[in-house]
Amino acid sequence: MTLDENGELQCLCGAEGHTVPEGRIIGLQELRDLDPTLPDLDLAPGQSAALNENGQWQIEPLATTGGMT
């Protein structure tokens, strides 16, 4: 999950090889309906959050390359 520099929230499933036409627009509540364990993350523009191997959310600066934009 990322909050890009324009303030737009983007979520990725973690799989490789997706293309832009495969992207979908959904609401944050729909994400929470799909995963009720999704926490309220306090992301600032330019940050991303991902689940680490221990199942904890880790917030980091947004990578400048890769992913769907």
Side-chain angles (χ1 to χ4, degrees):
M1 180 176 308
T2 65
L3 187 62
D4 68 18
E5 297 297 334
N6 295 323
E8 295 175 348
L9 186 65
Q10 299 181 22
C11 301
L12 305 172
C13 68
E16 298 289 326
H18 291 301
T19 61
V20 172
E22 294 174 308
R24 301 289 181 263
I25 297 173
I26 65 172
L28 187 54
Q29 185 59 51
E30 187 173 354
L31 283 176
R32 289 201 173 109
D33 290 346
L34 292 169
D35 183 359
T37 66
L38 188 66
D40 288 328
L41 298 171
D42 188 17
L43 293 178
Q47 289 185 321
S48 68
L51 281 174
N52 64 22
E53 58 276 353
N54 297 322
Q56 302 294 318
W57 285 93
Q58 185 171 341
I59 297 175
E60 298 180 342
L62 183 61
T64 57
T65 60
M68 288 179 26
T69 58

